[in-house]
């Protein structure tokens, strides 16, 4: 099944340990794995099981609570489907069939005895990005020296979902250094759910691949506004990063995102975690009222969306432009939406500051953690962008970042926007080991604004998307134009993103529901 | 009037410019200034004016709104009283009789024409700590090279209170480096409102002296939880500090504090200032219900107060112990309060980290700002405690501070406390130029917990408070014991403080109202 060879010496025993967790009868000869493994689960699941893994988490929770399915049935379907997803993408970092089955049985008993679910996600399987601790699940932070650790405590966020009744069954892969867009480490390379020649992205690439292949209904990954949900129990070499991430879901529907945040915020983690702001989830209605706002900002209470077509550094390739045009076209037919072209600011500078602030120590601490482990090419590449800064240099960059945060917000407000619609990157998933520019998303990490990436329903189609890009403006654009191919990328889904200002996670979700009404486009 | 000579060469022109702002008829021969100038205003105010300056801001606002007094009358009374306060304490950094009178007349006209106040503080005079910009009021950041600047824009916080209808009339003094407890700079030394041999404290010493002498009903100063109220337009050499302050009032009553926060939070500054958290002022009732809490934590919904008697580093002197005993005695007679001894943690380490984090650059930037200006002794002393740190050292101290924040909160919660009652310092106001230990208050800055200092109604009385302190445990204690004297400190008011966890500003205010019911003690 290996597409890219595993180049990490000493990885074998960890790979073997992980592989031993997957029952033999759920392993597949690599010759039968299709180029697009996103529906490969149909190969080894029963009709009922196929039906189960095509439900979203909200529907699953309801079906279990109402007795349509037991958690044991649902869990079994997902265990099988996850094994198929893994065969197609190498997305699992750990897998525990027995812990999952035990937990599902216990939940079924509880429901039978008490007649009521233990929480709003009673019996629903949930996957978790590797660096978040799940009690009893062997894990890593992406590099070899962190591998094989088995936590005896749940991360705070994991404990919240455990209390909500989920069944943990899988940990998912992440990049060697966590911080880049190629999910490749000592477990090998994770590939795209829709096309094995493409990256699954990162850092939550394993979650993306597993959920994309219906191997999990919902997974814990990263990012709304920071300081609203707990981060304790997240293990990674991030001490010298000044780009702060946050927890978010990978899932199949907008209502699942809602459910995820409902559970997360009802835990009121700020009552024990002093780092968090005591700001509960605020209801925002379809008119944009709530969370301190009187309604959407457009004329006649229409939702006013700023369109970023291009960040001015790396121009989007044809399929991304096509998807954005299509969504804008659909939205412009609506009377409850107002669209306005919105020029992006600071792109070049933001990307430069972001690359540097990922590693204020120039990647030294990561080097120490890696030890003799070779740096994978994109780890090498991203860390080469960061210098070991002194105090004055860090202070100056952080000050500039803070000033950009205010200037950008002023810019946003001067257009009276509610949200921004933008490409999620200059291209859909790129060929393996070529992704070097992700400032379309990391820009919002730098500002600390929440963003939601959603599929448009459109897929890359060489018939309409193949194009030559003759005149790159800079090295980053040249690299993208020379590595992108609609032919290689065929079938890959095209996503876009919706963004709202810091703290306005609730307005983002309300806006996303409106966008969702025009989707899927195909 | 000079008690401590002004040691800053080149200060004369700024002192002269400031003095020229005070009308001749409101200047006093130093021979008639009493040792305790807190009621010296009675010397040159009419009966009506005396009545006016003895009201709190809430009462003043009501009296003006109801037409009992005009803003012009009230303002004139405070202008005269402020001049007297200044004669007694040297607390003014700037004074503008004409701007104040114009503003008061305009407000009176508005009220007459429209029949309604422009805001909840219509016509009420307000003083402002020097480093906060007030349009048209010449200001400084404490050192000479910053002096003489006249801003054309209000600081955000000042603009909020201007919109609420206040009359600005005075800027108040602050320390040379802002960050210590001796209010002494090129304007000379500001002395205590109750005893001219004592410090007025700092950094808001000028506000303390002016309000203490009834020269202002309420002033803008510093600190609740950070990131709730705006800081833009605060000019100081703070770029290299990692101890973050926040805006708060100096005033005469708990209800004035309430009014101050009501005005401040109703401005919803987070809607334009992206640094702020969108957390409005939340109502907390007398049962402690509100702001996400179901009530006070003690048995039968009693308010549970932890008593810190001693921080373990510098033990409080006799009058402080007496005041704490007295308040505890009064509280223990109440059935709605539960008291528990609460051991302080981290005192020594916290003070050491605080001193260092004030100046992560070892005070270099301050040195640059001072140029040839001599460092005053306590500026020299506090900056000598800080080294020029490298990035790793700053990161390590900030990480330790963050870990202390969580550990302390866990400690607090393990005692199931609502608030903490503690000395506000190891001694009441100390003799001039001797105050070197303020970790009883800076500790809460380090944790970012809101604290309110309140007068107990008790004053230093050599008959009961003179005591020898034979066995100091360390240098800081030795310094305090050797410089403190109840005889010199006679008549100085004894304050205590009430503290609540980060973000719980509203619970702190609700708790303060309960404490206020047993005050004053004499």
């Amino acid at each position: 099944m290996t597409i890219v060879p595993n180049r990490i010496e000493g990885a074998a025993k960890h790979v073997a340990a992980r592989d031993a967790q997957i029952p033999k009868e759920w392993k597949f000869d690599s010759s039968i794995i299709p180029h697009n493994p996103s529906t490969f689960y149909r190969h080894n699941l029963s009709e009922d099981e196929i039906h189960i893994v095509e439900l979203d988490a909200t529907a699953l929770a309801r079906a279990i609570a109402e007795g349509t399915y037991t958690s044991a049935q649902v869990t079994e379907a997902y265990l099988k489907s996850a094994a198929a997803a893994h065969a197609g993408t190498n997305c699992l970092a750990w897998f525990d069939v027995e812990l999952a089955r035990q937990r599902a049985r216990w939940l079924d008993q509880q429901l039978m005895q008490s007649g009521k679910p233990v929480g709003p996600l009673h019996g629903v399987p949930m996957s978790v990005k590797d660096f978040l601790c799940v009690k009893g699940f062997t894990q890593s932070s992406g590099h070899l020296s962190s591998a094989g650790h088995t936590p005896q405590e749940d991360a705070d966020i994991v404990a919240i979902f455990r209390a909500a009744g989920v069944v943990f069954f899988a940990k998912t892969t992440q990049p060697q250094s966590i911080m880049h867009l190629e999910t490749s480490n000592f477990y090998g390379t994770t590939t795209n759910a829709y096309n094995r020649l493409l990256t699954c992205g990162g850092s939550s690439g394993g979650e993306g691949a597993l959920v994309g292949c219906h191997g999990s209904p919902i997974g814990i990954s990263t990012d709304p506004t920071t300081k609203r949900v707990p981060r304790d129990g997240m293990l990674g070499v991030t001490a010298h990063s000044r780009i702060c991430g946050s927890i978010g879901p990978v899932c199949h529907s907008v209502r699942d995102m809602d459910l995820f945040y409902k559970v997360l915020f009802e835990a009121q983690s700020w009552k024990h975690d002093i780092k968090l702001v005591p700001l509960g989830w605020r209801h925002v209605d379809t008119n944009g009222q709530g969370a301190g706002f009187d309604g959407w900002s457009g004329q006649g209470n229409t939702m006013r969306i700023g369109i970023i077509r291009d960040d001015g550094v790396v121009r989007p390739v044809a399929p991304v432009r096509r998807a954005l045009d299509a969504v804008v076209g659909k939205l412009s037919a609506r009377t409850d939406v107002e669209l306005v072209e919105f020029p992006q600011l600071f792109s070049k500078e933001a990307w430069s500051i972001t690359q540097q602030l990922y590693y204020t120590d120039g990647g030294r601490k990561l080097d120490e953690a890696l030890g003799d482990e070779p740096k994978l090419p994109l780890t090498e590449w991203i860390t080469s962008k960061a210098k070991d800064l002194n105090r004055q240099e860090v202070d100056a960059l952080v000050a500039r970042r803070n000033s950009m945060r205010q200037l950008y917000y002023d810019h946003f407000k001067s257009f009276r926007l509610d949200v921004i619609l933008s490409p999620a990157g200059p291209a859909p998933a790129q060929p393996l080991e070529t992704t070097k520019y992700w400032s379309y998303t990391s820009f919002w990490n730098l500002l600390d604004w929440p963003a939601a990436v959603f599929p448009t329903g459109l897929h890359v189609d060489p018939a309409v998307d193949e194009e030559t890009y003759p005149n790159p403006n800079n090295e980053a654009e040249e690299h993208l134009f020379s590595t992108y191919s609609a032919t290689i990328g065929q079938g890959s889904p095209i996503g876009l993103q919706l963004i709202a200002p810091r703290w306005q996670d609730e307005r983002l979700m309300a806006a996303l529901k409106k966008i969702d009404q025009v989707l899927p486009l195909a």
Side-chain angles (χ1 to χ4, degrees), chain A:
Chain A
M1 129 192 156
T2 309
I3 303 234
V4 175
N6 187 333
R7 285 152 297 190
I8 310 286
E9 215 177 318
K13 73 168 181 177
H14 296 291
V15 174
R18 187 257 329 245
D19 289 352
Q21 295 293 110
I22 301 160
K24 262 194 231 111
E25 63 275 22
W26 295 346
K27 289 181 177 172
F28 304 90
D29 190 272
S30 65
S31 63
I32 68 160
I33 310 292
H35 176 64
N36 173 349
S38 62
T39 54
F40 183 56
Y41 60 90
R42 294 183 187 160
H43 187 85
N44 73 326
L45 266 60
S46 69
E47 280 305 311
D48 256 11
E49 288 168 337
I50 289 171
H51 177 69
I52 286 170
V53 301
E54 291 179 351
L55 296 174
D56 67 0
T58 305
L60 284 170
R62 193 176 303 153
I64 295 167
E66 289 172 355
T68 314
Y69 297 116
T70 62
S71 175
Q73 278 176 297
V74 168
T75 299
E76 205 61 24
Y78 274 99
L79 287 169
K80 284 166 80 172
S81 185
H86 179 66
T89 63
N90 189 34
C91 59
L92 295 179
W94 200 251
F95 194 53
D96 201 314
V97 173
E98 275 320 302
L99 280 180
R101 285 173 175 160
Q102 277 170 29
R103 166 81 172 166
R105 277 195 301 268
W106 181 83
L107 286 163
D108 285 336
Q109 277 166 7
Q110 290 295 313
L111 184 58
M112 210 172 357
Q113 282 164 14
S114 73
K116 58 176 193 209
V118 308
L121 283 163
H122 184 105
V124 176
M126 182 174 237
S127 49
V128 179
K129 188 171 174 177
D130 202 15
F131 73 163
L132 287 161
C133 294
V134 179
K135 185 179 169 181
F137 281 69
T138 300
Q139 79 168 94
S140 87
S141 306
H143 54 276
L144 202 54
S145 70
S146 67
H149 163 70
T150 307
Q152 292 313 306
E153 295 283 343
D154 286 338
D156 281 6
I157 182 108
V158 168
I160 290 168
F161 284 100
R162 193 185 290 281
V166 308
V167 176
F168 294 110
F169 69 109
K171 301 297 293 287
T172 58
T173 51
Q174 59 204 6
Q176 180 185 42
S177 62
I178 296 177
M179 197 30 74
H180 59 72
L181 262 68
E182 187 77 19
T183 297
S184 186
N185 65 25
F186 61 87
Y187 284 130
T189 296
T190 306
T191 53
N192 192 284
Y194 292 82
N195 179 330
R196 301 182 78 208
L197 297 175
L198 305 179
T199 181
C200 59
S203 63
S204 307
E207 274 308 318
L210 181 63
V211 175
C213 289
H214 293 266
S216 172
I218 187 162
I220 309 180
S221 163
T222 34
D223 305 55
T225 303
T226 61
K227 298 185 187 158
R228 295 194 66 177
V229 299
R231 286 166 48 91
D232 283 3
M234 183 191 280
L235 299 183
V237 184
T238 55
H240 293 270
S241 173
R242 295 297 288 269
I243 304 288
C244 198
S246 186
I247 298 290
V250 172
C251 56
H252 288 289
S253 64
V254 177
R255 65 181 188 171
D256 279 7
M257 287 179 72
D258 244 3
L259 180 56
F260 184 94
Y261 285 116
K262 181 172 178 289
V263 168
L264 197 40
F265 278 82
E266 281 181 358
Q268 304 195 322
S269 303
W270 54 84
K271 288 202 171 172
H272 66 265
D273 186 341
I274 200 74
K275 294 184 295 300
L276 304 179
V277 173
L279 190 62
W281 192 258
R282 299 160 297 176
H283 180 70
V284 175
D285 68 17
T286 52
N287 297 316
Q289 284 180 333
F293 288 84
D294 294 334
W296 302 119
S297 314
Q299 237 173 351
N301 195 35
T302 54
M303 188 172 81
R304 195 164 154 91
I305 308 176
I307 313 293
I308 294 178
R309 297 192 178 268
D310 179 342
D311 81 349
V313 176
V314 179
R315 286 167 286 173
V317 297
V320 174
R321 299 198 309 268
R322 175 166 67 86
L324 187 59
D325 285 345
V327 171
V328 167
K330 281 278 191 181
L331 288 172
S332 61
R334 294 186 62 127
T335 55
D336 59 347
V337 163
E338 198 171 289
L339 299 168
V340 53
E341 299 293 320
F342 184 58
Q344 180 65 323
L345 295 185
F346 304 130
S347 304
K348 194 176 166 193
E349 185 185 6
W351 179 228
S352 154
I353 293 180
T354 299
Q355 289 175 302
Q356 177 61 72
L357 288 184
Y358 281 146
Y359 300 98
T360 59
D361 66 346
R364 282 190 188 193
K365 194 158 177 227
L366 178 64
D367 285 346
E368 279 167 34
L370 289 173
D372 292 336
E373 177 177 342
K375 269 191 187 174
L376 293 172
L378 288 170
T379 306
E380 178 66 43
W381 175 79
I382 185 68
T383 53
S384 76
K385 300 296 176 188
K387 280 185 265 180
D388 190 358
L389 301 183
N390 64 30
R391 178 180 54 72
Q392 290 88 333
E393 290 168 329
V394 173
D395 288 352
L397 286 185
V398 169
R400 175 61 185 157
R401 178 201 70 184
N402 292 346
S403 140
M404 284 164 62
R405 285 179 171 182
Q406 186 62 51
L407 290 166
Y408 196 88
Y409 186 46
D410 294 344
H411 174 58
F412 177 90
K413 288 201 302 143
S414 74
F415 278 72
R416 295 182 297 106
L417 300 183
D418 293 307
V419 289
I420 296 168
L421 176 66
S422 156
Q430 289 164 243
L432 291 169
E433 308 213 330
T434 65
T435 308
K436 290 193 175 178
Y437 187 79
W438 57 87
S439 197
Y440 279 82
T441 47
S442 60
F443 186 88
W444 312 110
N445 289 119
L446 188 73
L447 295 189
D448 197 24
W449 286 29
V453 175
F454 58 90
T456 57
L458 299 175
H459 295 76
V460 173
D461 177 0
V464 292
D465 293 327
E466 200 60 276
E467 188 180 287
T468 55
Y469 302 93
N471 299 310
N473 286 324
N474 51 57
E475 199 185 309
E477 210 171 59
E478 185 178 8
H479 175 77
L480 176 73
F481 291 174
S482 68
T483 51
Y484 183 73
S485 155
T487 305
I488 296 173
Q490 177 159 19
S492 149
I494 314 173
L496 296 172
Q497 64 181 331
L498 203 66
I499 304 126
R502 193 181 201 184
W503 307 115
Q504 296 184 21
D505 308 74
E506 298 88 342
R507 278 169 71 81
L508 176 63
M509 286 298 305
L512 196 59
K513 286 175 195 162
K514 260 194 201 294
I515 304 282
D516 198 42
Q517 289 166 3
V518 309
L519 300 177
L521 296 175

